[in-house]
Amino acid sequence: LLYLRRVREAVVSTQSTGAFGAALESVPMALAENSGLSPFATLAEVKSRQIKEGNPRLGIDCLDKGECDMKVQHVIETLIGKKQQIMLATQLVRMILKIDDVRSPGEGEE
């Protein structure tokens, strides 16, 4: 979550990239909600523990094992994999934003 926050803060220079950064932060929120946890309380708790403990491996305990350290839970994702996912998502957003002619719903229908 700290990494996602840093990415968000790094790209807040424009409104569209700020929204993209906010979308990145919605991933752990959705994980908490889909796991039956209170999303806001869970996210606030994990963020505060990350800052207090300085442990970027803390995440959402979706399996309710009582442990938020993803390394302890054997949830391992390579850094290169995460970088590729973020890079592809960024490219997709840039492609969408480059569309010159945005049509409103119902526009052009006759």
Side-chain angles (χ1 to χ4, degrees):
L1 297 176
L2 284 178
Y3 175 73
L4 296 177
R5 180 172 295 262
R6 286 186 199 125
V7 168
R8 179 179 182 208
E9 289 171 357
V11 296
V12 172
S13 60
T14 66
Q15 185 178 5
S16 59
T17 54
F20 179 67
L24 287 176
E25 281 193 331
S26 71
V27 173
M29 183 82 80
L31 280 172
E33 187 173 10
N34 291 338
S35 298
L37 304 169
S38 170
F40 294 106
T42 304
L43 203 57
E45 177 190 346
V46 170
K47 284 182 179 181
S48 70
R49 282 189 58 198
Q50 280 183 337
I51 293 168
K52 185 171 73 173
E53 298 173 21
N55 185 355
R57 295 184 312 261
L58 295 177
I60 306 301
D61 182 17
C62 296
L63 301 176
D64 200 25
K65 292 185 174 185
E67 179 62 57
C68 290
D69 192 326
M70 296 296 106
K71 187 173 182 180
V72 172
Q73 285 198 27
H74 304 290
V75 177
I76 309 295
E77 189 172 0
T78 61
L79 179 61
I80 192 148
K82 286 188 179 214
K83 284 183 176 181
Q84 287 291 325
Q85 292 168 11
I86 290 173
M87 186 178 71
L88 289 171
T90 303
Q91 288 175 352
L92 177 64
V93 169
R94 285 183 180 161
M95 286 174 29
I96 291 170
L97 292 174
K98 285 183 180 180
I99 297 173
D100 292 328
D101 187 20
V102 179
R103 293 179 55 184
S104 299
E107 185 180 289
E109 294 178 11
E110 295 174 20

